[in-house]
Amino acid sequence: MNDIFSLAGKTALVAGASRGIGLAIAQSLAEAGAHTVLAARSLDKLEVHAALLNAKGYSASAVRMDMSDSESIDKAVAGMNAIDILVNVAGTNIRKPFQDYTRQDYESILQTNLHGLVELTQKVGARMIARGAGGKVVTIGSLMSLLGLPYVAIYAISKGALGQLTRALAAEWGRYNIQVNCIAPGFILTDLNRGMWEQPRMEEWLRGNQANPRLGTPADIAPLAVFPSGRGADYITGQIIPVDGGYTTTSVWPFEP
């Protein structure tokens, strides 16, 4: 049974692995047995994280990849051998009223969150198809892949698109034994949103609106990213799976019997 969940002999590329959710996923994939390639812009950080994993007896390496730079993406992918698992994590956000977004805001968010990941997925997917050995694509979406919240409209465009891309590629690449799934994290505390969640009213709001009344952590996301990367998920594809403490499927009220 353990072999079903083992990633031994597989190579996983994690785009956006320098911190937060991406780093937690990279660490978990390595612990599951995959040779894990950590990719992001900050190569120095990645090399430290890869060295720590190797020191623990796992297999990891680092490569620089800038999602806003096609040449960087090309170079990173070309420098790798077979890629069995692609995990798309890289992302950014700017929160403001929709009418206040600038063209630069718009292009910056979509380039990192969508256009770069689309380009990377094209290149890796083409190699998976040509190789003929199947593969796994796991993309990190968001609650915005499923619903709407204020002041994140451009981010929502990007994450909604990733959700639909997941479904379309699952339909298109299933014939090649490539499974494509999307994880939709809920309210996960990371460096990108820490300032927002330090406001007492935000934590109070969460306690009153979510079945599991705490913020999630990157460690809550990582195990689910490992599962669809392995043989145990060979018949699961085209899914957007929330990891959100019940936010999208439950409601709580103050009634007590």
Side-chain angles (χ1 to χ4, degrees), residues 31-204:
E31 290 166 3
H35 171 67
T36 303
V37 181
L38 290 75
R41 288 180 297 180
S42 48
L43 183 58
D44 54 341
K45 291 182 181 178
L46 297 175
E47 288 176 337
V48 170
H49 294 311
L52 289 172
L53 286 168
N54 289 322
K56 294 178 180 178
Y58 306 120
S59 178
S61 58
V63 64
R64 186 181 184 279
M65 183 186 295
D66 183 348
M67 303 312 297
S68 66
D69 182 352
S70 294
E71 185 177 343
S72 170
I73 296 171
D74 283 341
K75 185 176 179 180
V77 173
M80 296 182 61
N81 294 320
I83 301 170
D84 303 290
I85 301 158
L86 171 64
V87 184
N88 290 316
V89 189
T92 188
N93 195 6
I94 300 171
R95 300 176 187 86
K96 60 173 66 173
F98 178 66
Q99 63 272 20
D100 293 343
Y101 281 104
T102 66
R103 182 74 185 187
Q104 183 178 359
D105 293 335
Y106 177 83
E107 291 179 351
S108 174
I109 295 170
L110 262 65
Q111 181 59 51
T112 297
N113 292 13
L114 181 61
H115 301 326
L117 293 181
V118 167
E119 188 173 352
L120 174 61
T121 304
Q122 280 185 307
K123 295 181 187 307
V124 174
R127 290 181 55 169
M128 288 178 174
I129 291 168
R131 184 181 171 212
K136 309 287 186 181
V137 178
V138 180
T139 295
I140 300 301
S142 163
L143 289 181
M144 299 306 96
S145 302
L146 300 166
L147 48 80
L149 285 172
Y151 310 126
V152 291
I154 310 304
Y155 178 81
I157 290 171
S158 68
K159 294 299 186 176
L162 289 176
Q164 287 304 105
L165 178 65
T166 294
R167 290 166 169 157
L169 289 183
E172 186 172 334
W173 288 355
R175 71 193 69 184
Y176 305 113
N177 193 29
I178 299 171
Q179 289 78 51
V180 187
N181 290 290
C182 178
I183 297 171
F187 301 113
I188 308 298
L189 186 63
T190 68
D191 291 342
L192 293 177
N193 62 27
R194 195 175 305 277
M196 181 181 74
W197 286 107
E198 285 174 350
Q199 301 177 34
R201 63 179 180 172
M202 290 297 296
E203 197 168 338
E204 182 181 349

